[in-house]
Amino acid sequence: MFNDSDRLLGTEVRKARAIGPTLRRLWHLFAPYRLVLIGAFLLILLSTAMQVAIPALTGQAVNCYLEPLSDSSLGEAAAAACWFTTPDPAWGATELAAGLGSLVLLIVVLYLVSAALTGVQFYMMAWAGQHVLRTLQARIFYQVHRLTMSYFTEHEAGDVMSRLTNDVDTLQQIIGFGLVSVMQGILLLIMIMGAMLWMNVPFAVISLITLPLMFWATVWLSTQARRAFRQAQEEIGSINADLQESISGVREVQAFGREEENIADFRTNNAANRDANIRAQAFSTALAPTLEALSFVNMAIVVAAGGYFILNQVNFLGTAVTLGLIVAFVAYTQQFNRPVQQIAILWTNIQSAIAGAERIFDFIDEEPAFDETATAQAIPPIQGEVVFDNVWAEYKPGEPVLKGVNLHTRPGQTVAIVGPTGAGKTTILNMIPRFYDVSEGSVRIDGYDVRDVTRTSLRSQIGIVLQDAFLFSDTVMNNIRYGRLDATDEEVMDAARLAHAHAFILKLEKGYETVLGERGGGLSQGQRQLISIARAALANPRILILDEATSNVDTRTEREIQEALDLLMAERTSFVVAHRLSTIRQADVVLVLKAGGIVEQGTHEELLAQRGFYFELYMSQFRREEVGEAG
């Protein structure tokens, strides 16, 4: 599904906390586009060299043409200071003006070509950057589906969504334009320093005297900003999580009158986000004026020192200081300021992007609680024999939820699971499709340990109908077809008929093509449940898992759902978390759970005859239902 760049996302460094590993991982993402990068880099190198040549040529114009035009006695001195073009000392004003015009034309051409090359660079980097972002988003989405249920139990959905949207967006702001600007700025700084040293080493040393201070200010302020931006990104994740929970649970919020409390909690998190962003902006925005001030100090040093040497006609450390040299160095100092300020301005986005990249890589590096083994094989078509062999399971280390469960279910049997809240009923169901893994023992289906087979081949033969049916924001047809994507429209309708859903679907505005709202909005709980049953029926599973599938509906709807379930369960191995007496009576085996263990098992009549824990449950929970049915 993914190419080499995708795999590198998770292998370069396991925890991206320092800026170096994070940048290296981002660099590896560009590996498939190295030819584009090389081309862009060469263009950056060429355009930057042109920009660096312009101040030197301007100095030549002053030394070689302007000074001789103003004072003809400087002809030989001017010729000695010229390296690009050497005017003849005998030239008059006309020849000097013509030579000056040619040099000015060259400077204009260099400006225009450099600008054109810069535009091409930005396009090339934007093209590569968008491909990298696409790869990164695909890898995050893949990781969402790779992680086990335990991760999403422990982490808020809003925070995960924030990494896919907000954190990737911060990267988008820097990849492309920002990346080119930073690369170009760094090359420009290096070339400017090289040109200054080439033209006059002693004077260049004076001109760059504030460079160590610039470097120290950049490192210290950027480190503080990056820490603050990471905290800000985490606070944004918390805000998104609060927002997602408030929207999903709006009915509960309003039902319990928790609006003011939720608003207060949101204000607290929002204030924390504000404070973190203010601190981050304070450090990052302090960088630009600090570097700008140091740059003006540099310029003042160049003008003052150069003016002193010229006015007093003093050679500096044996080298001549000319007006053209000062003009070139002033231009270089200004040019030096531009990339420094540009990088400083971009540094806010850069730090935010690095912080976002760290959070993205943290998520990508998250290992699932368990994974398929390298030798996992596809399980063949199953008959439905399920064996629990001394199964222990825990959600938190040291707190077992199942304790030594032993169970042998023959193909086609219906197993009803009863017990008090927290006894481990749902956990048993989660072990069969391997949503969670055992901590001891094994779960085997038709003799295959579920840990030794691929999850796709296993789960494709297991149908699940939960208490809270989840439907997607899509058509009714596609929601049912989710059970088997290659199913024809007629097969989808047949599954709906089996689930007793066909009649009410036809009454919808557009029938099977009706687009449902979020989580099946627009349908009743019972209708959502019937569509969920149709989806399971379409998958034609050999093992069926029903987790209190009729507990949230009225008696009449429950009867319709139960009829659909009876048809679906026929000749399939079925595990049912039961809360209705009718379901328990029809079961081949009733498992009675207490505190994570099976304390009793047998048929309804056998368990009543034992007058044990099941008898107590029956008398407290099911007896009134039986009396009501008899009445």
Side-chain angles (χ1 to χ4, degrees):
M1 180 178 180
F2 298 99
N3 57 27
D4 291 340
S5 65
D6 302 311
R7 288 191 288 272
L8 282 166
L9 280 163
T11 58
E12 175 66 17
V13 178
R14 277 293 156 206
K15 288 295 177 184
R17 293 290 180 181
I19 186 172
T22 301
L23 292 178
R24 283 198 297 273
R25 293 185 71 167
L26 286 173
W27 169 249
H28 276 291
L29 292 178
F30 283 92
Y33 317 105
R34 58 173 60 92
L35 292 179
V36 176
L37 293 183
I38 292 172
F41 180 77
L42 291 176
L43 293 180
I44 291 173
L45 197 63
L46 185 57
S47 64
T48 304
M50 292 178 180
Q51 294 177 43
V52 172
I54 290 171
L57 293 175
T58 304
Q60 290 288 286
V62 173
N63 281 340
C64 304
Y65 298 103
L66 292 179
E67 282 195 285
L69 278 171
S70 61
D71 188 349
S72 59
S73 65
L74 296 175
E76 292 186 6
C82 295
W83 52 267
F84 179 76
T85 179
T86 305
D88 193 317
W91 279 0
T94 303
E95 290 84 359
L96 289 172
L100 178 63
S102 299
L103 198 54
V104 169
L105 180 61
L106 176 60
I107 292 173
V108 171
V109 170
L110 288 178
Y111 266 123
L112 294 177
V113 173
S114 176
L117 293 179
T118 299
V120 176
Q121 299 158 23
F122 283 130
Y123 174 80
M124 295 173 71
M125 289 304 300
W127 183 89
Q130 289 303 314
H131 280 75
V132 167
L133 290 174
R134 175 182 173 274
T135 297
L136 193 58
Q137 287 176 316
R139 186 62 181 86
I140 296 172
F141 198 70
Y142 167 73
Q143 181 74 346
V144 168
H145 292 77
R146 175 174 175 258
L147 291 172
T148 55
M149 296 291 294
S150 59
Y151 180 86
F152 299 101
T153 302
E154 299 169 3
H155 295 79
E156 297 167 314
D159 183 62
V160 175
M161 291 173 60
S162 179
R163 298 176 195 245
L164 181 59
T165 55
N166 184 71
D167 292 341
V168 171
D169 185 58
T170 61
L171 272 177
Q172 184 171 352
Q173 295 175 22
I174 193 63
I175 289 180
F177 173 80
L179 191 58
V180 169
S181 298
V182 171
M183 290 174 61
Q184 195 172 45
I186 293 173
L187 279 174
L188 191 58
L189 293 176
I190 294 172
M191 288 187 178
I192 288 173
M193 287 188 287
M196 293 169 76
L197 290 169
W198 176 74
M199 292 176 69
N200 193 308
V201 174
F203 206 61
V205 172
I206 290 180
S207 303
L208 299 174
I209 197 169
T210 61
L211 189 61
L213 287 175
M214 289 183 174
F215 179 77
W216 177 83
T218 301
V219 171
W220 189 81
L221 289 172
S222 63
T223 299
Q224 301 302 317
R226 186 167 62 89
R227 290 174 181 170
F229 271 117
R230 182 175 178 87
Q231 183 180 352
Q233 296 292 95
E234 292 172 353
E235 296 296 343
I236 291 174
S238 297
I239 288 174
N240 286 340
D242 285 350
L243 185 61
Q244 189 267 340
E245 285 188 349
S246 294
I247 293 173
S248 299
V250 64
R251 181 182 301 174
E252 286 75 11
V253 171
Q254 295 180 1
F256 289 95
R258 287 278 301 178
E259 293 92 340
E260 292 301 324
E261 289 82 354
N262 277 21
I263 292 171
D265 290 342
F266 184 83
R267 284 174 177 166
T268 299
N269 289 335
N270 208 20
N273 176 52
R274 175 202 62 201
D275 294 341
N277 271 296
I278 288 175
R279 189 165 63 254
Q281 293 291 343
F283 283 118
S284 61
T285 55
L287 185 58
T290 300
L291 296 179
E292 186 175 9
L294 291 172
S295 296
F296 280 120
V297 170
N298 254 352
M299 190 180 300
I301 291 172
V302 170
V303 173
Y308 171 80
F309 294 131
I310 289 178
L311 292 174
N312 293 280
Q313 297 183 352
V314 176
N315 287 345
F316 178 54
L317 297 179
T319 61
V321 177
T322 64
L323 180 59
L325 182 70
I326 295 175
V327 170
F329 268 65
V330 168
Y332 277 133
T333 303
Q334 290 177 324
Q335 204 175 52
F336 195 87
N337 294 349
R338 182 165 56 83
V340 168
Q341 292 175 20
Q342 190 175 42
I343 292 173
I345 292 170
L346 287 171
W347 207 246
T348 299
N349 290 338
I350 292 172
Q351 295 303 310
S352 179
I354 292 172
E358 288 175 345
R359 280 169 43 83
I360 290 171
F361 289 135
D362 282 349
F363 178 70
I364 289 174
D365 291 340
E366 189 72 38
E367 289 294 338
F370 57 87
D371 207 348
E372 294 177 356
T373 63
T375 58
Q377 301 291 324
I379 190 171
I382 60 177
Q383 299 301 310
E385 180 189 46
V386 179
V387 175
F388 279 62
D389 185 5
N390 190 33
V391 169
W392 290 69
E394 55 188 25
Y395 298 128
K396 294 182 179 179
E399 299 179 15
V401 181
L402 295 182
K403 305 171 183 176
V405 171
N406 289 285
L407 170 66
H408 186 183
T409 303
R410 295 190 300 276
Q413 282 190 319
T414 297
V415 179
I417 306 174
V418 300
T421 300
K425 302 185 294 294
T426 301
T427 303
I428 283 185
L429 302 185
N430 285 333
M431 295 295 110
I432 298 171
R434 205 188 176 198
F435 287 150
Y436 293 88
D437 219 353
V438 300
S439 53
E440 292 183 32
S442 65
V443 176
R444 298 191 300 276
I445 296 179
D446 288 2
Y448 292 89
D449 192 317
V450 296
R451 292 170 295 189
D452 297 333
V453 300
T454 61
R455 284 176 293 187
T456 301
S457 66
L458 173 65
R459 293 172 184 173
S460 65
Q461 301 186 66
I462 298 175
I464 301 175
V465 180
L466 302 176
Q467 178 181 358
D468 185 15
F470 184 92
L471 300 181
F472 298 90
S473 299
D474 203 340
T475 63
V476 174
M477 178 73 74
N478 286 340
N479 266 284
I480 298 175
R481 186 177 276 125
Y482 201 78
R484 183 160 57 86
L485 296 180
D486 61 350
T488 64
D489 289 355
E490 189 58 38
E491 288 173 325
V492 170
M493 293 179 188
D494 287 342
R497 292 187 184 95
L498 183 147
H500 293 198
H502 182 69
F504 86 78
I505 292 174
L506 293 180
K507 294 179 182 178
L508 297 176
E509 182 180 1
K510 295 182 180 179
Y512 281 87
E513 296 305 315
T514 301
V515 177
L516 303 179
E518 185 177 2
R519 301 182 66 89
L523 299 180
S524 69
Q525 175 67 29
Q527 289 172 332
R528 292 198 295 270
Q529 200 68 284
L530 290 174
I531 289 178
S532 179
I533 294 170
R535 183 164 59 195
L538 184 64
N540 192 26
R542 295 306 307 152
I543 296 177
L544 188 63
I545 293 174
L546 307 174
D547 191 355
E548 299 188 274
T550 61
S551 62
N552 288 335
V553 296
D554 58 70
T555 304
R556 180 174 176 274
T557 304
E558 180 193 358
R559 190 177 300 113
E560 293 179 357
I561 294 175
Q562 193 59 56
E563 289 175 1
L565 289 175
D566 290 343
L567 292 173
L568 184 59
M569 293 164 61
E571 299 182 359
R572 292 182 172 91
T573 304
S574 303
F575 293 83
V576 186
V577 172
H579 68 289
R580 298 294 189 191
L581 185 59
S582 56
T583 303
I584 299 171
R585 283 174 172 168
Q586 296 173 4
D588 299 299
V589 179
V590 179
L591 300 181
V592 185
L593 267 67
K594 181 179 180 182
I598 298 177
V599 293
E600 296 173 356
Q601 60 178 302
T603 64
H604 169 66
E605 290 76 13
E606 290 171 348
L607 295 175
L608 282 181
Q610 294 178 15
R611 302 183 69 84
F613 184 64
Y614 177 77
F615 181 80
E616 295 177 9
L617 287 176
Y618 170 77
M619 296 302 293
S620 62
Q621 296 183 27
F622 303 122
R623 179 60 180 168
R624 266 182 289 178
E625 181 184 343
E626 186 175 45
V627 171
E629 289 177 355

mmCIF file of all heavy atoms in Angstrom, residues 54 129 140 253 282 302 348 351 417 441 447 455 468 515:
data_model
loop_
_atom_site.group_PDB
_atom_site.id
_atom_site.type_symbol
_atom_site.label_atom_id
_atom_site.label_comp_id
_atom_site.label_asym_id
_atom_site.label_seq_id
_atom_site.Cartn_x
_atom_site.Cartn_y
_atom_site.Cartn_z
ATOM 1 N N ILE A 54 25.618 40.733 -7.402
ATOM 2 C CA ILE A 54 25.127 42.088 -7.685
ATOM 3 C C ILE A 54 25.816 43.158 -6.829
ATOM 4 O O ILE A 54 26.268 44.183 -7.372
ATOM 5 C CB ILE A 54 23.592 42.134 -7.556
ATOM 6 C CG1 ILE A 54 22.972 41.351 -8.724
ATOM 7 C CG2 ILE A 54 23.079 43.565 -7.521
ATOM 8 C CD1 ILE A 54 21.485 41.133 -8.597
ATOM 9 N N GLY A 129 6.508 19.144 -1.947
ATOM 10 C CA GLY A 129 5.947 19.271 -0.607
ATOM 11 C C GLY A 129 4.534 18.727 -0.511
ATOM 12 O O GLY A 129 4.180 18.056 0.468
ATOM 13 N N ILE A 140 -0.647 8.534 8.450
ATOM 14 C CA ILE A 140 -1.395 8.741 9.695
ATOM 15 C C ILE A 140 -2.701 7.961 9.649
ATOM 16 O O ILE A 140 -3.090 7.296 10.610
ATOM 17 C CB ILE A 140 -1.670 10.241 9.917
ATOM 18 C CG1 ILE A 140 -0.360 11.017 10.114
ATOM 19 C CG2 ILE A 140 -2.554 10.449 11.136
ATOM 20 C CD1 ILE A 140 -0.544 12.516 10.135
ATOM 21 N N VAL A 253 -25.210 16.309 27.495
ATOM 22 C CA VAL A 253 -24.849 17.598 28.110
ATOM 23 C C VAL A 253 -26.099 18.386 28.447
ATOM 24 O O VAL A 253 -26.256 18.917 29.562
ATOM 25 C CB VAL A 253 -23.941 18.412 27.153
ATOM 26 C CG1 VAL A 253 -23.746 19.828 27.665
ATOM 27 C CG2 VAL A 253 -22.590 17.733 26.996
ATOM 28 N N ALA A 282 5.951 35.127 21.827
ATOM 29 C CA ALA A 282 6.880 36.077 22.447
ATOM 30 C C ALA A 282 8.326 35.719 22.114
ATOM 31 O O ALA A 282 9.136 36.585 21.768
ATOM 32 C CB ALA A 282 6.667 36.100 23.965
ATOM 33 N N VAL A 302 30.434 48.975 9.524
ATOM 34 C CA VAL A 302 30.998 49.026 8.174
ATOM 35 C C VAL A 302 31.171 50.478 7.723
ATOM 36 O O VAL A 302 32.232 50.885 7.224
ATOM 37 C CB VAL A 302 30.098 48.253 7.181
ATOM 38 C CG1 VAL A 302 30.536 48.517 5.745
ATOM 39 C CG2 VAL A 302 30.147 46.764 7.468
ATOM 40 N N THR A 348 8.631 31.440 13.357
ATOM 41 C CA THR A 348 7.400 31.119 14.084
ATOM 42 C C THR A 348 6.733 29.894 13.475
ATOM 43 O O THR A 348 6.395 28.931 14.168
ATOM 44 C CB THR A 348 6.437 32.311 14.049
ATOM 45 O OG1 THR A 348 7.047 33.422 14.686
ATOM 46 C CG2 THR A 348 5.132 31.973 14.777
ATOM 47 N N GLN A 351 8.995 26.673 13.894
ATOM 48 C CA GLN A 351 8.917 26.055 15.218
ATOM 49 C C GLN A 351 7.578 25.350 15.414
ATOM 50 O O GLN A 351 7.503 24.254 15.970
ATOM 51 C CB GLN A 351 9.132 27.112 16.306
ATOM 52 C CG GLN A 351 10.514 27.726 16.311
ATOM 53 C CD GLN A 351 11.597 26.675 16.462
ATOM 54 O OE1 GLN A 351 11.550 25.825 17.343
ATOM 55 N NE2 GLN A 351 12.589 26.725 15.585
ATOM 56 N N ILE A 417 -24.576 -15.179 27.101
ATOM 57 C CA ILE A 417 -23.658 -14.796 28.179
ATOM 58 C C ILE A 417 -24.386 -13.847 29.117
ATOM 59 O O ILE A 417 -24.875 -12.789 28.697
ATOM 60 C CB ILE A 417 -22.397 -14.115 27.613
ATOM 61 C CG1 ILE A 417 -21.734 -15.015 26.552
ATOM 62 C CG2 ILE A 417 -21.404 -13.793 28.714
ATOM 63 C CD1 ILE A 417 -20.572 -14.361 25.836
ATOM 64 N N GLY A 441 -3.065 -17.938 28.091
ATOM 65 C CA GLY A 441 -3.980 -18.863 27.453
ATOM 66 C C GLY A 441 -4.107 -18.606 25.969
ATOM 67 O O GLY A 441 -3.262 -17.954 25.352
ATOM 68 N N GLY A 447 -9.536 -24.752 15.600
ATOM 69 C CA GLY A 447 -8.189 -25.228 15.887
ATOM 70 C C GLY A 447 -7.096 -24.219 15.624
ATOM 71 O O GLY A 447 -5.930 -24.445 15.977
ATOM 72 N N ARG A 455 -5.674 -10.817 10.699
ATOM 73 C CA ARG A 455 -6.898 -10.247 11.255
ATOM 74 C C ARG A 455 -7.976 -10.080 10.187
ATOM 75 O O ARG A 455 -9.168 -10.269 10.452
ATOM 76 C CB ARG A 455 -6.586 -8.892 11.906
ATOM 77 C CG ARG A 455 -5.892 -9.027 13.251
ATOM 78 C CD ARG A 455 -5.504 -7.692 13.825
ATOM 79 N NE ARG A 455 -4.468 -7.033 13.029
ATOM 80 C CZ ARG A 455 -3.858 -5.913 13.394
ATOM 81 N NH1 ARG A 455 -4.202 -5.309 14.516
ATOM 82 N NH2 ARG A 455 -2.923 -5.385 12.638
ATOM 83 N N ASP A 468 -25.077 -0.113 20.300
ATOM 84 C CA ASP A 468 -25.181 1.191 19.662
ATOM 85 C C ASP A 468 -24.722 1.046 18.220
ATOM 86 O O ASP A 468 -23.529 1.082 17.926
ATOM 87 C CB ASP A 468 -24.314 2.217 20.416
ATOM 88 C CG ASP A 468 -24.475 3.622 19.854
ATOM 89 O OD1 ASP A 468 -25.438 3.846 19.100
ATOM 90 O OD2 ASP A 468 -23.636 4.493 20.174
ATOM 91 N N VAL A 515 -29.250 9.570 1.741
ATOM 92 C CA VAL A 515 -28.000 9.830 2.459
ATOM 93 C C VAL A 515 -28.327 10.084 3.925
ATOM 94 O O VAL A 515 -29.124 10.967 4.257
ATOM 95 C CB VAL A 515 -27.245 11.030 1.870
ATOM 96 C CG1 VAL A 515 -25.985 11.330 2.680
ATOM 97 C CG2 VAL A 515 -26.893 10.770 0.414
#
